[in-house]
Amino acid sequence: MLLDQERCYRAVASRDARFDGHFITAVRTTGIYCRPSCPATTPKRGNVEFLPTAGAAQQRGYRACRRCLPDAVPGSPDWNIRADLAARAMRLIADGVVERAGVTGLAAALGYSERQLGRVLTAELGAGPLALARAHRAHTARLLIETTPLGMADIAFAAGFASVRQFNDTVREVYGVPPTTLRTEAGRKRGSVPAVAGTLVLRLPYRPPFDAEGLLGFFRARSLDGVEQLDDRGYRRTLRLPHGPATAAMELDTGSAHITATHITATHITATLRLADPRDLGPAVARLRRLLDLDADPVAVDELLGADPALAPRVAAVPGIRLPGTVDGAETALRAVLGQQVSVAAARTAGSRLAAALGDRLPPELAQDGPDLLFPTPTTIAERGREVLRGPARRIDTVVGLCVAIASGGLVLDAGRDPADLRADLVALPGVGPWTAGYLAMRLLGDPDELLATDLAVRRGAAALGLASDVDGLTARSENWKPWRSYAATHLWRTA
């Protein structure tokens, strides 16, 4: 990845938080790497180099700044726009695939050889898959050190390290201090909020503005009884993670974030996680970020869409609109198919009935006073779905057929899929049409450029704004909205 060195330095000199996550600033004289908005004294131009990822900085021997915490920033919005190999690999690495299946498993999931994968990632991101995964493990370890009372040996293996020695060496190399020092420093910062066994309270940063109200409205209309819960405290739901179940409670502030000409105030969502297995921390964080579209660049989206006179009033009224994502590709795909050709309310009723009949109950220590039901697995629905599902036989066949495809491994629904390949695999299934395939590409992969021009609500929203509401006319007008047509479609949904 070629970075504009002069533009990067101007961003660092102005401490522009809009560039956090876009690149890393590495200072040769101190051996430290920072986020662009680090409050430390701006280094001289000749003493810095700019790198695309923390993994690239660590591979060059730099250690993370403990003042600005460069690994605790919004993720790169490049992964929202790009669907190439590097972007897909980064999404899978964040989901912990290397820790679970190694580089061999990562390469197999992406359909490349290990050598090809390593060559592309090194050229694009400045580091190979092992170095990028190591940076991810270090970040997970820091979160566990700072937010839980777990012993260091437990943290080492939960974060994916092969040994305690490897864990200690990596933390020292990345942060410049031993793990115990990180815990001591975190205790001073945390003050009166103690770490509680089994519970992790995390800050998930994002770039403002952030349309929390829109996301909450979307989830509220579709929430399934026992699986999700929305109240004054925000949004809570159950999770199926690689090593066990979990619950997540997210506090979403519906107030607008402040933006100045060059600075954005630090903003975050508070997420409380209860995990059956601490090894699932990394995947849980990655999935919550995708669910809430926290790595989006709303300023870039709003600037482009706001340039269209018809969309400008909507963009001004709803700044920072987000794409609702997913924490479980299979669950979202099944719920989408259940909702084909019925109302949102009817789809919610059908999904709640299915979850109540075939879902798994959480142990009380995970559920406590929140949702306590896991959405059923594709295998369970494939075996027993016909006993529970109601409605036209064709739709039941579609749901069960989708579950069979997922359970058998014939259909893979993860963040590493290529959008075009995912659409092709979905429409090849009986009963799954182009609208459902596009909708799932938007929600499963965060595809930013899916217009859904055939969607009735999108067309009604377009008509309400004085835009062409026929498919061809709307598609032609949307050429000016690339690559953010998914966000434009979300505005049109809201308008309708």
Side-chain angles (χ1 to χ4, degrees):
M1 180 185 294
L2 297 177
L3 297 172
D4 185 329
Q5 302 289 303
E6 290 307 318
R7 187 182 182 206
C8 289
Y9 188 73
R10 287 196 299 272
V12 170
S14 62
R15 296 184 176 87
D16 194 335
R18 288 176 297 186
F19 289 87
D20 287 352
H22 285 267
F23 64 88
I24 291 293
T25 304
V27 185
R28 298 186 183 95
T29 50
T30 62
I32 291 174
Y33 69 89
C34 304
R35 63 171 82 182
S37 64
C38 183
T41 302
T42 303
K44 294 180 180 179
R45 175 66 185 86
N47 293 335
V48 298
E49 61 176 320
F50 302 105
L51 304 168
T53 62
Q58 292 172 22
Q59 187 160 279
R60 285 163 172 74
Y62 294 100
R63 57 183 196 278
C65 174
R66 300 207 306 281
R67 185 174 180 182
C68 71
L69 299 176
D71 56 352
V73 298
S76 171
D78 288 337
W79 313 145
N80 288 9
I81 304 173
R82 295 167 53 176
D84 60 12
L85 175 61
R88 292 159 53 209
M90 285 293 284
R91 289 194 286 266
L92 289 180
I93 289 170
D95 198 54
V97 169
V98 173
E99 282 71 29
R100 297 193 297 273
V103 176
T104 301
L106 175 66
L110 295 166
Y112 283 76
S113 70
E114 292 183 52
R115 172 178 279 186
Q116 287 175 307
L117 178 63
R119 185 167 59 247
V120 170
L121 294 187
T122 300
E124 289 284 327
L125 305 175
L130 281 177
L132 295 168
R134 178 178 180 267
H136 178 258
R137 281 196 297 273
H139 176 50
T140 301
R142 185 180 64 79
L143 287 175
L144 289 168
I145 291 167
E146 294 182 350
T147 62
T148 75
L150 286 173
M152 295 301 172
D154 292 331
I155 290 174
F157 294 110
F161 290 97
S163 67
V164 175
R165 179 176 180 178
Q166 185 188 60
F167 160 71
N168 285 325
D169 290 346
T170 298
V171 171
R172 284 180 179 274
E173 289 174 19
V174 173
Y175 299 108
V177 294
T180 52
T181 300
L182 288 181
R183 174 161 285 175
T184 301
E185 292 177 348
R188 288 197 297 266
K189 295 175 184 176
R190 191 166 52 232
S192 61
V193 184
V196 179
T199 300
L200 293 79
V201 180
L202 308 175
R203 292 160 58 96
L204 305 180
Y206 60 81
R207 296 175 181 83
F210 180 72
D211 177 33
E213 185 176 351
L215 280 175
L216 287 173
F218 183 92
F219 295 136
R220 183 177 292 108
R222 295 161 178 79
S223 63
L224 302 186
D225 297 339
V227 177
E228 300 163 283
Q229 181 177 320
L230 289 101
D231 52 32
D232 293 340
R233 290 174 288 177
Y235 175 52
R236 295 188 282 175
R237 66 154 297 145
T238 60
L239 306 171
R240 282 190 187 274
L241 297 172
H243 298 100
T247 60
M250 291 151 281
E251 299 175 15
L252 279 69
D253 181 8
T254 56
S256 59
H258 174 65
I259 304 179
T260 66
T262 58
H263 291 78
I264 302 177
T265 56
T267 47
H268 67 276
I269 284 169
T270 300
T272 302
L273 290 171
R274 293 191 180 97
L275 304 173
D277 191 316
R279 288 178 295 175
D280 283 327
L281 174 60
V285 170
R287 294 179 191 194
L288 293 181
R289 295 194 66 81
R290 287 201 300 274
L291 175 70
L292 303 176
D293 197 15
L294 297 184
D295 295 332
D297 187 346
V299 174
V301 174
D302 289 355
E303 283 180 353
L304 188 143
L305 298 183
D308 188 308
L311 283 179
R314 290 297 307 169
V315 173
V318 188
I321 203 164
R322 292 304 208 268
L323 302 181
T326 180
V327 292
D328 189 310
E331 176 191 321
T332 301
L334 290 167
R335 291 171 63 171
V337 171
L338 277 176
Q340 289 186 139
Q341 299 178 332
V342 300
S343 67
V344 171
R348 177 183 179 182
T349 299
S352 295
R353 183 188 301 121
L354 186 64
L358 302 180
D360 300 317
R361 293 288 172 184
L362 290 179
E365 63 271 17
L366 286 181
Q368 297 193 10
D369 61 344
D372 64 348
L373 189 62
L374 290 166
F375 192 80
T377 64
T379 300
T380 299
I381 299 175
E383 295 172 351
R384 301 178 52 199
R386 295 185 187 277
E387 304 169 11
V388 178
L389 293 167
R390 300 289 182 269
R394 180 176 296 180
R395 182 158 63 240
I396 294 174
D397 290 342
T398 299
V399 173
V400 173
L402 177 66
C403 290
V404 170
I406 297 171
S408 67
L411 176 64
V412 177
L413 299 173
D414 63 34
R417 292 301 309 272
D418 174 78
D421 290 345
L422 176 64
R423 288 183 182 88
D425 288 351
L426 286 167
V427 296
L429 296 173
V432 179
W435 180 92
T436 302
Y439 174 78
L440 290 174
M442 180 190 292
R443 293 203 60 192
L444 269 62
L445 306 180
D447 185 350
D449 203 32
E450 176 58 62
L451 179 62
L452 297 178
T454 62
D455 184 270
L456 182 59
V458 168
R459 293 165 62 191
R460 284 176 175 168
L465 295 180
L467 294 163
S469 58
D470 64 288
V471 174
D472 291 340
L474 184 56
T475 301
R477 180 64 173 263
S478 74
E479 287 295 311
N480 295 325
W481 304 339
K482 290 182 176 181
W484 308 119
R485 292 189 294 180
S486 295
Y487 294 89
T490 306
H491 275 294
L492 297 178
W493 268 337
R494 292 279 294 276
T495 302

